[in-house]
């Protein structure tokens, strides 16, 4: 199966004039946002650097280690390979990259990063998804009980600054949480900003409430929003989405399909599947049913308790957990047993409610087999 690296190799000698910047190109750069670009890309939009000129800088061993520093166990090291190939290619070499910003704020519980790639008459703002920090995942969970999260606010401010500094149309893109904050920026930008947005690409990112999808702000940009999900999407099944999307074939299983390097591509786009897997359907129906039956205070309370337990066990990153799964699982369980019985009961009760909500949707319980007349059926419930 061919993936993102193959795509960049195939298309590397095809100019953007002959084959315009497309959804797969946007995914390539959305993945590159996970690299530690702080010392390589300027914060200024006006002090951007051509990718071809970055090639000699990023190819020494010290730079490679620095760029890969925060990838963690679940972001492919081939992410660096994408940057290397792009910098050496005809297709991407003349593109300019700048405006790199990164925020990691424990007090605000925020993890955010973005950069902008600019070509002739277009700019692509690329937002980073959730990195390996536990705090980044906690911010994701806050989507379930907050009107907005800090990275969404910074994403919108970033777009405002980019549009002041740069001319031309804008593409917004991001993987995982990056896809969500790309959509948020388009939805909440001013009418003047909306007119300058040509496309919004969401790669397996969480959605929004039904109320937001019915709002006037959303309706003004809905035709520009396009999503790509793997056949077994989990992260992308949170909340509700536009019915403009495609399903990409993946070489991985279950939650590991979230990794874009597992998505099958051709020189012209993604290899499509007609339907989502049963597990993805199960999670979509179960999570949204469970979410609808809880108060926001209940969700916030249990989220803060769950992450408090993880922090008290000394775990701050996914790498920490991966280094000794058995030992760290025991530490988390130990911290769970330390909390007040009533609080522990509340955590377990919400887990129990989730399992109960899923019983009617889970294939093993009722041999559930989805039968969709088209790939848009799964997201039709928000209408």
């Amino acid at each position: 199966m061919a993936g993102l690296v193959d795509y960049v190799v195939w298309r590397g000698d095809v100019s953007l004039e002959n084959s315009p910047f497309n959804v797969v190109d946007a995914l390539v750069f959305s993945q590159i946002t996970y690299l530690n670009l702080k010392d390589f890309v300027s914060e200024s939009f006006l002090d951007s650097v051509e990718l071809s000129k970055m090639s000699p800088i990023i190819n020494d061993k010290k730079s490679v280690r620095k760029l890969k520093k925060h990838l963690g166990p679940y972001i492919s090291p081939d992410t660096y390979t994408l940057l290397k190939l792009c910098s050496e290619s005809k297709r991407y070499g003349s593109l300019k990259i700048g405006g790199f910003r990164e925020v990691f704020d424990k007090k605000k519980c925020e993890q955010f990063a973005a950069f902008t790639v600019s070509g002739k008459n277009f700019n692509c703002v690329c937002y980073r998804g959730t990195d390996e920090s536990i705090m980044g995942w906690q911010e994701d969970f806050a989507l379930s009980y907050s009107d907005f999260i800090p990275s969404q606010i910074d994403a919108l401010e970033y777009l405002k600054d980019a549009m002041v500094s740069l001319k031309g149309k804008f593409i917004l893109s991001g993987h995982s949480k990056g896809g969500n904050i790309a959509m948020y920026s388009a939805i909440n930008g001013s009418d003047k900003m909306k007119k300058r947005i040509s496309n919004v690409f969401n790669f397996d990112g969480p959605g929004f409430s039904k109320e937001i999808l019915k709002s006037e702000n959303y309706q003004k940009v809905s035709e520009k929003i396009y999503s790509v999900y793997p056949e077994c999407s989990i992260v992308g099944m949170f909340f509700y989405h536009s019915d403009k999307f495609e399903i990409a074939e993946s070489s991985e299983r279950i939650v590991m399909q979230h990794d874009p390097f597992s998505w099958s591509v051709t020189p012209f786009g993604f290899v499509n599947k007609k339907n989502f897997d049963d597990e993805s359907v199960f999670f979509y129906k179960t999570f949204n049913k469970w979410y609808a039956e809880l108060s926001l205070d209940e969700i916030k309370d249990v989220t803060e308790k769950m992450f408090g337990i993880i922090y008290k066990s000394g775990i701050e990153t996914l790498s920490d957990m991966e280094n000794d799964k058995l030992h760290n699982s025991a530490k988390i369980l130990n911290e769970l047993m330390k909390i007040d019985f009533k609080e522990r009961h509340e955590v377990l009760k919400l887990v129990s409610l989730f399992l109960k909500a899923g019983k009617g949707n889970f294939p093993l319980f009722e041999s559930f087999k989805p039968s969709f007349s088209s790939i848009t059926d799964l997201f039709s419930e928000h209408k």
Side-chain angles (χ1 to χ4, degrees):
M1 189 200 84
L4 286 181
V5 171
D6 301 293
Y7 174 83
V8 175
V9 172
W10 289 334
R11 306 299 277 174
D13 62 350
V14 180
S15 71
L16 290 169
E17 285 74 21
N18 291 330
S19 178
F21 195 90
N22 61 49
V23 63
V24 186
D25 297 318
L27 177 57
V28 168
F29 284 100
S30 295
Q31 184 66 33
I32 289 173
T33 62
Y34 288 105
L35 292 171
N36 178 28
L37 293 163
K38 184 177 180 180
D39 296 331
F40 303 92
V41 178
S42 171
E43 290 186 11
S44 170
F45 295 103
L46 302 178
D47 189 25
S48 55
V49 59
E50 280 192 11
L51 278 166
S52 62
K53 293 180 180 179
M54 288 182 67
S55 184
I57 302 171
I58 65 174
N59 280 325
D60 68 274
K61 291 183 179 179
K62 186 177 180 181
S63 294
V64 173
R65 286 196 299 271
K66 187 177 289 186
L67 285 162
K68 292 182 177 181
K69 185 177 180 181
H70 301 304
L71 291 182
Y74 298 111
I75 304 295
S76 172
D78 279 339
T79 301
Y80 164 76
T81 306
L82 290 181
L83 177 62
K84 172 181 165 60
L85 290 172
C86 285
S87 70
E88 297 169 349
S89 72
K90 175 182 177 181
R91 182 170 182 79
Y92 307 110
S94 63
L95 294 179
K96 292 186 176 182
I97 182 170
F100 177 72
R101 295 186 188 173
E102 186 174 38
V103 178
F104 192 82
D105 190 325
K106 289 186 176 181
K107 289 184 178 179
K108 291 169 62 179
C109 190
E110 178 183 8
Q111 170 258 313
F112 169 84
F115 63 68
T116 298
V117 176
S118 299
K120 188 176 181 180
N121 300 321
F122 82 92
N123 307 281
C124 183
V125 173
C126 304
Y127 295 110
R128 180 186 291 173
T130 309
D131 63 12
E132 74 151 352
S133 67
I134 298 300
M135 191 191 72
W137 285 96
Q138 183 178 2
E139 186 185 21
D140 285 358
F141 273 72
L143 284 167
S144 63
Y145 58 80
S146 302
D147 290 334
F148 53 83
I149 56 175
S151 60
Q152 288 176 330
I153 302 303
D154 275 351
L156 179 56
E157 289 302 312
Y158 180 94
L159 180 60
K160 289 177 182 177
D161 291 346
M163 286 187 168
V164 168
S165 301
L166 302 170
K167 296 179 180 179
K169 290 285 189 176
F170 279 78
I171 297 167
L172 313 184
S173 74
H175 169 253
S176 193
K177 180 178 70 178
N180 175 276
I181 64 179
M183 293 187 288
Y184 178 92
S185 301
I187 294 167
N188 291 281
S190 66
D191 287 349
K192 186 176 180 180
M193 292 170 67
K194 286 179 170 66
K195 289 179 181 178
R196 294 184 66 188
I197 297 171
S198 57
N199 298 97
V200 183
F201 295 126
N202 164 46
F203 301 106
D204 204 28
F208 299 92
S209 68
K210 291 182 179 180
E211 288 70 30
I212 289 178
L213 265 62
K214 292 176 181 176
S215 69
E216 182 180 357
N217 265 338
Y218 174 80
Q219 295 302 323
K220 288 178 179 178
V221 292
S222 61
E223 288 302 309
K224 300 178 181 182
I225 295 175
Y226 188 79
S227 298
V228 182
Y229 306 97
E231 51 196 303
C232 186
S233 171
I234 300 298
V235 177
M237 294 298 101
F238 285 94
F239 313 115
Y240 300 91
H241 290 265
S242 161
D243 57 7
K244 287 184 62 180
F245 66 95
E246 64 180 298
I247 303 171
E249 179 183 75
S250 172
S251 61
E252 285 286 357
R253 297 187 69 253
I254 318 297
V255 72
M256 295 309 294
Q257 291 193 17
H258 187 55
D259 177 8
F261 283 96
S262 77
W263 300 0
S264 181
V265 298
T266 73
F268 309 103
F270 298 98
V271 176
N272 291 143
K273 301 290 284 189
K274 185 177 181 181
N275 296 325
F276 287 103
D277 284 357
D278 286 354
E279 291 86 355
S280 194
V281 178
F282 157 72
F283 190 84
Y284 177 77
K285 290 178 176 289
T286 298
F287 174 82
N288 289 298
K289 179 180 178 183
W290 174 78
Y291 176 72
E293 293 176 356
L294 297 174
S295 71
L296 298 185
D297 286 340
E298 283 180 306
I299 299 171
K300 180 180 180 181
D301 186 53
V302 74
T303 298
E304 291 178 347
K305 285 184 173 66
M306 287 170 61
F307 279 95
I309 290 167
I310 294 172
Y311 291 133
K312 286 179 182 177
S313 68
I315 297 168
E316 294 191 353
T317 67
L318 296 178
S319 291
D320 293 340
M321 176 63 80
E322 190 73 13
N323 288 338
D324 192 343
K325 291 180 181 178
L326 185 62
H327 179 63
N328 285 313
S329 296
K331 286 199 296 185
I332 291 173
L333 183 60
N334 183 52
E335 291 299 328
L336 176 61
M337 298 310 294
K338 285 181 183 179
I339 66 174
D340 177 81
F341 174 79
K342 183 179 179 181
E343 292 181 343
R344 186 164 70 245
H345 177 72
E346 289 301 311
V347 172
L348 296 176
K349 184 180 80 172
L350 292 191
V351 172
S352 175
L353 286 173
F354 181 83
L355 294 175
K356 183 179 178 182
K359 185 175 180 181
N361 302 321
F362 195 43
L364 292 181
F365 282 123
E366 297 186 5
S367 298
F368 176 75
K369 294 292 182 182
S371 177
F372 301 133
S373 59
S374 72
I375 63 171
T376 61
D377 288 347
L378 180 57
F379 292 148
S380 64
E381 294 179 21
H382 76 263
K383 294 182 176 179

